Amino acid sequence: MIKYSKEVAAAKSQGRPIVALESTIISHGLPRPTNLEVAKEVEEIVRSQGATPATIAIIDGEIFVGLEEGQLFRIANDENIVKASTRDLAMICADNKSAATTVAATSHIAHLAGIDVFATGGLGGVHRGHVYDESADLTELAKTKIIIVCAGVKSILDVAGTLERLETLAIPVLGYQTNNFPGFYLTDSGFKIEHRVESCEEIAKIWGLRHGLNTDDTAIIVANPVTNQMDKNFHDQILEAGLSDATAGKISGKGVTPFLLEHFHRTSKGESLRVNIEIIKANSKLAAQIACAL
Ligand code: PSU
Ligand code: MN
């Protein structure tokens, strides 16, 4: 059911390290034309570390692991690309539609394709003030064996609530060279991480030990803090305005996250975009290094 790009097919047959990359960040997370530029740069970063990038998406009803240039262009520019979570996959394929995949859907497909490492920006999680708005990223990561590198969860979320859910779902969180849980646009969310790792080799060792202990049903989150964060006060002001606009505009369901990210990019005059790009690049680099260590 899965189609591979030439590059990913070659890497698979030779057993070389592969890094999965999501596509919702391209279609719904970053503005045009920066989205396509970043998508290409991120793939190049993965290659520069000795791994093969596999951007995942659905094109005309077919699941692709690794996109050719024209397909990447479509994900970045076609207005009809929808945002697909795991539950949407079968219907999108049945209708021969095209879709970008979220962290949840990308993890699911990457695991099916035998890929162990995945890089994204920030995970989805529990939304502020909405008891039942919790990203399907969490429930998918609770049942999918993959190492996901991220800059924590998006700061638009209820970070404390999300960390509690991660604990309940038995999804381990490793701080990469940090004891502080990163806050996506911010280096530190204000919450601590119990388990700190210093190297990719340490992550690879943990990955192996989990199997013997039969605690390997879930994903492992590797939290990699951004180096040059947004100004905290500026960030908090923008967030407050964005949350009240979302409430006033009755934004719901899968629209909430893209709405808030777009609000940030528009009102921060490029500052949140700069940070978001730095996050994705740094996470892709680290993910490639982990894939090589495995
Ligand atoms: N990280 C980013 N930008 C994004 C996302 C993550 O830096 O746009 C996307 C991912 O695809 C993630 C989704 O799965 O946001 C979460 O959406 P929701 O809250 O609707 O589950
Ligand atoms: Mn939601």
Side-chain angles (χ1 to χ4, degrees), residues 30-45:
L30 299 170
R32 298 180 193 126
T34 314
N35 58 349
L36 182 59
E37 290 159 24
V38 173
K40 287 183 180 171
E41 280 170 24
V42 161
E43 291 199 346
E44 217 32 70
I45 289 169

Side-chain angles (χ1 to χ4, degrees), residues 22-30 83-85 100-106 118 120-127 133-138 148 150-152 154 156-157 184-185 252-258 261 265 276-277 279-280 283:
E22 60 140 321
S23 45
T24 295
I25 203 167
I26 307 171
S27 61
H28 291 74
L30 299 170
K83 171 179 167 183
S85 190
T101 49
T102 62
V103 165
T106 307
F118 168 24
T120 184
L123 290 185
V126 179
H127 281 265
D133 187 0
E134 176 181 312
S135 177
D137 291 356
L138 297 184
I148 177 158
C150 60
K154 284 186 271 283
I156 56 176
L157 301 169
F184 191 54
Y185 293 132
S252 66
K254 60 167 92 171
V256 176
T257 297
L261 292 176
H265 295 331
N276 205 343
I277 293 169
I279 288 169
I280 305 165
N283 292 349

Side-chain angles (χ1 to χ4, degrees), residues 9-10 20 22 42 57 62 78 105 121 141 185 199 218 222 243-244 248 278:
E22 60 140 321
V42 161
E62 290 184 308
D78 188 339
L141 293 177
Y185 293 132
S199 69
T218 72
V222 175
L243 292 169
S244 66
E278 182 182 320

